[in-house]
Amino acid sequence: MSDFLVVGGGVIGMMTTLQLADAGHEVTLLERGECGRESSWAGGGIVSPLYPWRYSAPISRLSTWSEGYYPELSLRLLEETGIDPEYRQKGLLYLRVDDESRALGWAREAGKPLERVDADFLYAKEPAALRGCDGALWMPTLGSIRNPRLVKALRARLAAMPKVHIREGVEVTGLQRQGPRVVAVEAGVERFGAGDVVVCGGAWAAELLASVEVTLPVRPVKGQMILFKAPPGLVRRVVLMDGRYVIPRRDGRVLAGSTLEEAGFDKGIDDIAKQSLWDSATRIIPALAECEVEHHWAGLRPGSPNGTPFIGAVPGLRNVHVNAGHYRNGLVLAPASTRLLVDQLLGREPILDPAPYRLAGRLDATP
């Protein structure tokens, strides 16, 4: 029996497993499909909330800590696995921001480099951007990571660790409870025991906890994205306008996203969303209209009240813990939220005050 059993092999589950294994613990990781192939794969990889000044302080604190960790993690995984997660710190240009004064005030208070730049600066940084802009907001420290490569690297690293046991294609159907403890995790005819259970099931976390009569207000929120096959250098950095964004990759490909849809667990794609994403992307970078749309997909974000994740022990259960409900910011918040939970699991001084993320007092909220 492992010291810890982690349910969910997305970026949250894999980072949790990595930190526990780094600390010398034996960990079993259960994933219903393939590790990293759900929302961790489907997102864009921007290492910041899209409009950070519009988020609450608890989310901002997690985000700030995580942003500083990604360069180190990316280099570590490259050295250990040979897989480059392609962390890029090229900054972000915000076009047509209607609450600019609020953004600049937030930046001053948070100590973030965010400034208003003129049109010459904008087009020097991003020559292919929408013409006619009189300027933009510029955040030079923002980074992005190629999330499919990040999750591949995480999985490869975990697979090489002798105290980590990865079980893919194992769909957890419930938790078996005896009094104040969960004694087994059930997956069809299989049963898994562990000292502690950590639920990192993303949009599926609420279904799992319902098996022990815990109502977690986390729901699936669909997001569709498209990928352009563009020449390298057409888009140089992340550009955001009217809530939509384009994200360049090192090989020239450009992601464009994303929709927000309340559609349950439906991951279907549709032409209306594709056209809307194409329209948004080609307004931001008109030259993308000449590029092939190479791929169109959807993922399910774990929506939660106000987007604040649930991190910590499940009330009434001594050995069950949760890290879920990150909404649009799972990749953004993953390093800090997993470190915060692992600190609590191992009795270490937490990196942040855990109170805003605790489940106690929040489980009766409406998602």
Side-chain angles (χ1 to χ4, degrees):
M1 183 173 74
S2 296
D3 301 323
F4 295 92
L5 193 151
V6 176
V7 181
V11 68
I12 302 291
M14 286 196 285
M15 284 193 186
T16 300
T17 301
L18 178 63
Q19 293 176 56
L20 291 170
D22 279 344
H25 293 277
E26 186 168 358
V27 188
T28 296
L29 175 63
L30 304 181
E31 165 54 40
R32 61 194 295 272
E34 298 177 43
C35 286
R37 294 293 302 200
E38 290 290 349
S39 60
S40 300
W41 189 280
I46 301 173
V47 186
S48 169
L50 294 183
Y51 294 93
W53 55 90
R54 298 176 185 172
Y55 284 85
S56 66
I59 294 176
S60 295
R61 285 192 284 269
L62 290 173
S63 172
T64 299
W65 196 95
S66 294
E67 285 180 48
Y69 182 73
Y70 265 115
E72 173 189 329
L73 176 64
S74 184
L75 287 172
R76 171 189 174 172
L77 292 173
L78 174 60
E79 289 300 317
E80 290 179 332
T81 70
I83 301 170
D84 186 359
E86 293 187 14
Y87 175 80
R88 293 161 46 98
Q89 189 172 317
K90 298 292 185 180
L92 185 151
L93 287 163
Y94 294 93
L95 308 182
R96 301 202 313 210
V97 176
D98 58 11
D99 56 349
E100 184 174 304
S101 60
R102 178 184 177 187
L104 294 172
W106 166 86
R108 288 191 295 270
E109 185 175 338
K112 284 283 188 180
L114 178 70
E115 62 178 317
R116 174 74 183 179
V117 296
D118 62 18
D120 289 341
F121 184 99
L122 163 62
Y123 294 113
K125 287 290 184 184
E126 205 60 50
L130 169 73
R131 307 310 295 181
C133 294
D134 62 359
L137 288 181
W138 165 240
M139 184 182 287
T141 57
L142 184 132
S144 64
I145 200 159
R146 195 162 185 168
N147 42 304
R149 296 194 179 212
L150 170 65
V151 295
K152 283 183 179 179
L154 282 168
R155 192 199 181 286
R157 176 59 189 139
L158 294 178
M161 301 180 83
K163 289 192 174 183
V164 172
H165 313 285
I166 300 173
R167 291 289 308 274
E168 295 179 316
V170 175
E171 184 169 2
V172 174
T173 53
L175 306 177
Q176 183 180 345
R177 177 176 183 171
Q178 287 185 3
R181 296 184 63 84
V182 164
V183 295
V185 171
E186 299 172 337
V189 298
E190 291 190 272
R191 295 172 75 254
F192 299 87
D196 285 271
V197 177
V198 185
V199 177
C200 303
W204 289 266
E207 288 191 338
L208 179 57
L209 288 173
S211 67
V212 286
E213 300 180 343
V214 173
T215 302
L216 186 73
V218 171
R219 72 199 190 280
V221 181
K222 182 163 72 172
Q224 297 187 51
M225 297 185 68
I226 58 175
L227 178 71
F228 290 90
K229 188 176 182 181
L234 175 63
V235 183
R236 301 178 181 179
R237 56 193 41 78
V238 180
V239 185
L240 180 62
M241 184 176 77
D242 302 335
R244 294 279 176 87
Y245 52 81
V246 294
I247 306 170
R249 299 306 196 200
R250 187 175 294 170
D251 59 11
R253 288 176 169 84
V254 177
L255 284 77
S258 63
T259 66
L260 286 171
E261 306 170 54
E262 299 284 352
F265 287 94
D266 171 32
K267 290 200 299 180
I269 57 176
D270 63 85
D271 289 338
I272 294 174
K274 182 179 181 181
Q275 185 64 48
S276 174
L277 292 166
W278 189 91
D279 290 344
S280 296
T282 57
R283 280 195 296 269
I284 298 170
I285 306 289
L288 285 173
E290 306 301 319
C291 300
E292 172 193 354
V293 175
E294 192 173 31
H295 192 33
H296 174 203
W297 69 95
L300 299 177
R301 309 175 184 91
S304 60
N306 304 316
T308 302
F310 294 90
I311 307 170
V314 176
L317 292 172
R318 293 179 183 170
N319 65 329
V320 180
H321 317 267
V322 170
N323 201 342
H326 299 74
Y327 193 33
R328 305 187 75 177
N329 295 309
L331 194 78
V332 176
L333 307 180
S337 66
T338 54
R339 172 64 182 270
L340 180 60
L341 181 57
V342 170
D343 283 346
Q344 295 173 74
L345 292 172
L346 302 185
R348 303 185 306 211
E349 182 71 23
I351 55 165
L352 300 169
D353 179 6
Y357 318 101
R358 288 176 179 150
L359 282 70
R362 299 178 62 205
L363 295 185
D364 57 353
T366 301

